[in-house]
Amino acid sequence: MTKHLLLGQTLTFSGNPMHDAWEDVTHLDTQGAVLIARGKIAGVGKGTDLAAEHPDAQLIDYGDQLILPGFVDAHAHYPQTAMIASWGKRLIDWLNEYTFPEETRLADPAYAADIAGRYLDLLLDHGTTSVCTYCTSSPASVTAIFEAAEARGMRVLAGKTCMDRNAPEALVDTAQRAYDESKALLEKWHDRGRTNYVITPRFSPTSSEDQLQALGALWAEHPECLMQTHISEQIEEIAWVRELFPDARDYLDTYERFGLLGARAVLGHAIYLEPREIDRISEMGAALVHCPTSNTFIGSGLFDMSLARRVSVGLATDTGGGSSFSMLRTMAAAYEIGQLRGAPLHPAQLLWLATEGSAQALHLGGIIGRLAPGAEADVTVLNLGSTPALGQRLANARSGWEAIFPTIMMGDDRAVSDVWVNGARVTP
Ligand code: GUN
Ligand code: ZN
C-alpha cells in the first residue's frame, strides 16, 4: 500500500468558528503535513513528526502552499453549466428565459453526459471535490452526473429536480412520476460508493400540492436521504408563493405542511426568512445554504450570516444563477456581503464554511470537508502567489492570514496547484 505524506501549510479546526472565537478553534501550521493511506486521511500533524513516524511514505513537498480539505459546494445546478452568466434578468424571468430552455436539452442522455463530465472537471480545476447538485426533471440527467462522479471517484450528492407546474411542457412531470422516478433513482444511486441521492422538489412555485405531498411521502420512506429545495430567494418569488398557497402561514409552511421539513432538509438562499421560519428551521435542525455570487448576480439580496449562530449554514456557488464555479470567488462574495451587512467574515470562517460548514450542512461532517484522521482523502492545495498580482501581495504579507486572504479575494483556478480525490492525485 502506498502512503503519501503531503508537506506544506495546513489548516485545521477544533471547533466551529461561526460559534466560537475563530482564534480559539483555528490552527494554521506552517510546517504541517497530511498523511494519506487507503483513500483516507490517516494523520495530520507536524511534518517532521509524521515523516519520522512514516519513513515508508512517499513525500510530496508543497513548500509554503496551503493544504486544505477539498472544497464542498453545498448547492449547485450542474445543468446550468453552459448558460452561466446570462445577462439582465431577475429570478423568475431568468428561469424562463435562460434556465428552462437549457435544462430541456439535458433530456438527451449524450448531452447530459457531456455537461456532467464538463462540470465535474471544472469543479476539480477549481479545487471543489464534492457538490450537492440539482439535476433536471429528466432521469437521464441524474444518471449522467452520478456516472461522471463515479468515473472520477468524487463524492457527489444529486437528485431529479421535480416540477409539475409553471415550467415548460418538456420539463414538467406529475406528482406520480416525480415520486416513481425519484424512488427508482434513489434506490439505484443512494449510498452506492460515494454517490448520495437527494430528494429534490425545485421550489414550491413549480410543484403542485400533490407533488409536494408525494415527495414528502417518499422522504418519509427514505429518511436517510437529504431533501433539498429553495426558499425565500427574492421578494417577487415570495409574493408568488403567497398567491399560490393562500392557506400557508409562510414560505416554509408550503414545505412543512407536506412533510418536507426535517433535520436533513437543505434550504437554499433563505434571504428573507420571517421569525417563525427561523425558529422552526432551528428547532428542526434543518440547514441553510448561502449562495452569495448568485444573490448578487440575480439581484436577490443580502443573506444574514448571523443565522449561523443558530442554524447549520453551508456555502455554495448556485451555478449557474451563481456567476462562478469557484469556491474562492464564492468566499470573496460572502465576505463582501458580510461587509455590506457590517459583519465581515474572517478568512478562517470563510474557509470553514467552504469545507466543514458545507459538509455539516449536508450531514457529511467527518466524512468530507475536514483534514482529520478517518475523513475521506479529498484535498486541495493552494498556491498563495498564483498570479503576478497575488505574488506581489504575498511578498508584502505580515502574517499567515495576510498571506491567505488575498487569494480568497483575488484567486481563481490558477491558485489551485493540486487536488486529491479519494486518496488519488488529480492533475488540475
Ligand atoms: N429557484 C428555483 N430554481 C432556481 C434555480 O435554478 N436557481 C436559483 N438561483 N433559484 C431557483
Ligand atoms: Zn439553486
Side-chain angles (χ1 to χ4, degrees):
M1 184 219 17
T2 313
K3 291 189 215 167
H4 292 99
L5 187 62
L6 283 47
L7 304 173
Q9 286 201 68
T10 53
L11 178 65
T12 54
F13 296 95
S14 53
N16 180 339
M18 306 305 292
H19 292 172
D20 305 322
W22 67 264
E23 300 92 323
D24 297 342
V25 297
T26 307
H27 312 283
L28 191 57
D29 188 343
T30 53
Q31 309 285 310
V34 176
L35 183 71
I36 294 178
R38 291 200 181 86
K40 295 272 168 61
I41 292 173
V44 181
K46 286 275 172 218
T48 44
D49 295 350
L50 284 178
E53 284 165 29
H54 301 275
D56 53 332
Q58 197 176 316
L59 292 185
I60 296 155
D61 191 351
Y62 291 113
D64 55 6
Q65 297 191 45
L66 182 62
I67 303 173
L68 298 169
F71 296 131
V72 179
D73 186 342
H75 177 130
H77 300 255
Y78 96 81
Q80 299 170 16
T81 296
M83 50 64 70
I84 191 169
S86 292
W87 184 84
K89 301 287 180 200
R90 290 174 64 79
L91 177 62
I92 306 304
D93 293 337
W94 173 85
L95 284 170
N96 287 317
E97 178 113 354
Y98 299 120
T99 311
F100 291 155
E102 178 61 19
E103 290 194 6
T104 305
R105 299 176 69 195
L106 278 88
D108 172 2
Y111 186 68
D114 177 24
I115 295 294
R118 186 189 310 178
Y119 173 72
L120 291 185
D121 287 343
L122 281 164
L123 288 196
L124 293 175
D125 288 348
H126 288 84
T128 298
T129 48
S130 280
V131 63
C132 183
T133 182
Y134 289 63
C135 299
T136 72
S137 53
S138 153
S141 71
V142 182
T143 303
I145 194 73
F146 282 141
E147 286 183 352
E150 279 194 346
R152 290 160 182 76
M154 294 169 71
R155 184 170 282 284
V156 166
L157 305 89
K160 167 189 147 79
T161 297
C162 301
M163 299 195 273
D164 67 349
R165 63 170 171 173
N166 295 320
E169 193 59 35
L171 278 180
V172 293
D173 49 23
T174 62
Q176 190 65 46
R177 251 181 64 206
Y179 175 90
D180 292 343
E181 291 177 354
S182 300
K183 184 177 166 73
L185 290 161
L186 183 163
E187 285 171 353
K188 173 155 187 199
W189 290 105
H190 186 64
D191 230 350
R192 165 174 143 157
R194 300 192 84 198
T195 58
N196 297 84
Y197 192 81
V198 186
I199 295 168
T200 307
R202 182 177 213 118
F203 66 157
S204 49
T206 49
S207 287
S208 66
E209 298 198 357
D210 283 353
Q211 182 168 86
L212 294 169
Q213 186 95 53
L215 293 173
L218 181 63
W219 199 22
E221 291 161 31
H222 291 280
E224 70 279 15
C225 288
L226 297 178
M227 187 288 302
Q228 64 182 345
T229 191
H230 297 86
I231 191 165
S232 295
E233 181 177 359
Q234 289 204 343
I235 299 291
E236 304 91 309
E237 170 209 14
I238 297 166
W240 193 25
V241 169
R242 217 171 268 130
E243 272 171 39
L244 291 168
F245 296 87
D247 298 337
R249 286 170 290 182
D250 44 40
Y251 200 149
L252 184 69
D253 196 30
T254 66
Y255 300 126
E256 191 176 353
R257 58 177 46 208
F258 299 111
L260 291 169
L261 179 63
R264 287 181 173 269
V266 182
L267 305 170
H269 301 289
I271 297 170
Y272 301 102
L273 294 179
E274 293 171 15
R276 187 202 82 86
E277 296 177 300
I278 297 168
D279 289 346
R280 195 75 185 120
I281 288 166
S282 166
E283 223 171 81
M284 297 300 285
L288 304 180
V289 184
H290 177 32
C291 307
T293 74
S294 171
N295 297 162
T296 52
F297 182 75
I298 319 187
S300 301
L302 306 178
F303 180 78
D304 176 7
M305 191 52 88
S306 75
L307 290 170
R309 290 201 278 271
R310 295 181 60 192
V311 179
S312 173
V313 177
L315 190 65
T317 59
D318 191 31
T319 300
S323 53
S324 175
F325 298 97
S326 167
M327 290 300 285
L328 289 173
R329 178 73 202 103
T330 301
M331 285 181 260
Y335 175 79
E336 288 162 351
I337 287 178
Q339 280 286 50
L340 288 169
R341 292 192 71 108
L345 290 160
H346 188 271
Q349 295 176 309
L350 293 166
L351 288 165
W352 186 89
L353 286 165
T355 54
E356 177 80 33
S358 283
Q360 287 187 11
L362 300 174
H363 289 256
L364 291 170
I367 296 173
I368 55 172
R370 185 183 299 180
L371 294 183
E376 294 173 351
D378 294 339
V379 172
T380 285
V381 183
L382 296 182
N383 171 5
L384 301 176
S386 61
T387 63
L390 282 164
Q392 63 85 37
R393 179 64 183 90
L394 180 64
N396 193 39
R398 293 164 303 175
S399 69
W401 290 115
E402 264 203 22
I404 291 170
F405 185 57
T407 283
I408 293 177
M409 293 309 300
M410 298 165 64
D412 54 31
D413 50 333
R414 291 169 290 179
V416 176
S417 70
D418 214 354
V419 176
W420 294 70
V421 172
N422 213 22
R425 194 174 187 178
V426 177
T427 306

